[in-house]
Amino acid sequence: MSLLPVYDALERVLNSVDQLDNETISIHDALGRITAGDINSNLTQPPFAASAMDGYAVKFADIDQTLEVVGESQAGLSYAGTLKTGQAVRIFTGAPMVDGADTVVIQENVDRDGNNLIINDCKAIGSNIRDAGSDFMDGECLVEAHTKIDARHIALLAAGNVAEFSVFRQPKVAILSTGDELLEVGSEIGPDKIVNSNVPLFMALVKEHGGIPINLGTAQDTEEDVKAKIALVKDVDIFVSIGGVSVGDYDIIQNVLKEAGLKVDFWKVAMQPGKPIVYGNFNGIPYFGMPGNPSSAYVCFANFMLPAMYKMQGQDQSGFPSSHARLEHDVRAGGARLNYMRAFYHENERGEKYVNSTLTQSSANLKTLARSNCLIVRDVDAPPADAGDLVKIFIIEP
Ligand code: AMP
Ligand code: MG
């Protein structure tokens, strides 16, 4: 079977997943969620004209006279009266403007003696006043649809008195690992065993990108155990298994899943690492069968599963951002498979990116993956590249 080109594989994945439905959540739970519609303000901000500084509310026409301080307007409690000619009102930052006043003089620019006030400097009428609505108006769109909510959006929505709003539901992702050699982190590691690192990797990746991971545990490489574990795949939006998708005698997951309803869309993509990836539909649920080598599984996640998760959540589905960087060393010609080289980029003082990929590229190597912050993307049959040439990178740091 010929290998499917990466971009065709991605297109098939994206065409087969849908945006999830919406749910209404509290602003207190909204960090990192994706808005499902425009969110409008429930009030005008500031709701009233307010002082921007600590000082005195006056009539600009009066500033050359000695004024009488007749009261106070503080944040949360306005001055009840109306300012008359010759009067001033002590006012504080955020306090409502005083009826009849048109200017605030900052306290650094006055001399006060008892209730007598002399203004030393005030340049313009209207100084130091925040007009009602100078930030935003009632009904104005504060945050657009398809925005990932961060702390600044939360502050803005809170100020607009938006207590709850609609976001895309988070994809639930069932994660199953397979392999007789795997033990969970923290266990006593006997002979011939290794620690399961892919499940912690995928649990974290799913969380990092807005999903809800569900750990189905590890299946032994037997039909019975794989069957028992896949019976747990229910009420999820994505099912991902890790390991056992290659052509070894113990790589049984694809066949067991097929008996249980898996329709394979593709198996084997022209990429390195990650070639043996399986993609299909498991009883209505998008299914990714990832290779067991951690870097292979990671590159498959970055290329296919991340865009799918983003599409489901109504986000830009390109996944990790791509950019360009100058090579710090020569790189040989690309081969028959699209190659993702784990690499490290840095920026010089002018913001220009440089990249090197001198760590081992073994797909079993986790240290290389953890120390990389990007993947150099080498196209199929790319000519050799020299130090100084620009190459495409995927930036993988969260
Ligand atoms: P497989 O895809 O099952 O042939 O596994 C390929 C390699 O990845 C083997 O060296 C496995 O031991 C390793 N591997 C598979 N699953 C995991 C896992 N969950 N954590 C760490 N290594 C794994
Ligand atoms: Mg295995």
Side-chain angles (χ1 to χ4, degrees), residues 281-341:
N281 184 299
F282 181 68
N283 302 320
I285 302 165
Y287 164 73
F288 294 89
M290 302 296 192
N293 270 319
S295 292
S296 311
Y298 184 88
V299 167
C300 290
F301 172 86
N303 271 289
F304 305 117
M305 190 169 139
L306 184 64
M309 285 181 65
Y310 278 13
K311 181 172 179 188
M312 287 178 167
Q313 294 176 88
Q315 275 175 290
D316 178 345
Q317 57 200 39
S318 43
F320 284 122
S322 53
S323 187
H324 287 85
R326 285 193 193 285
L327 284 168
E328 289 187 325
H329 49 77
D330 298 351
V331 172
R332 61 186 152 85
R337 291 189 273 156
L338 206 142
N339 184 209
Y340 299 92
M341 301 169 71

Side-chain angles (χ1 to χ4, degrees), residues 174-185:
I175 302 166
L176 174 67
S177 61
T178 66
D180 293 340
E181 73 280 31
L182 301 174
L183 291 172
E184 300 317 305
V185 56

Side-chain angles (χ1 to χ4, degrees), residues 177-178 181-182 194-199 242-245 251 291-294:
S177 61
T178 66
E181 73 280 31
L182 301 174
I194 62 167
V195 180
N196 186 336
S197 55
N198 280 332
V199 165
I242 306 156
V245 290
D251 293 333
N293 270 319

Side-chain angles (χ1 to χ4, degrees), residues 9 34 67-68 111 294:
I34 316 298
L67 303 175
E68 183 194 1
D111 286 317

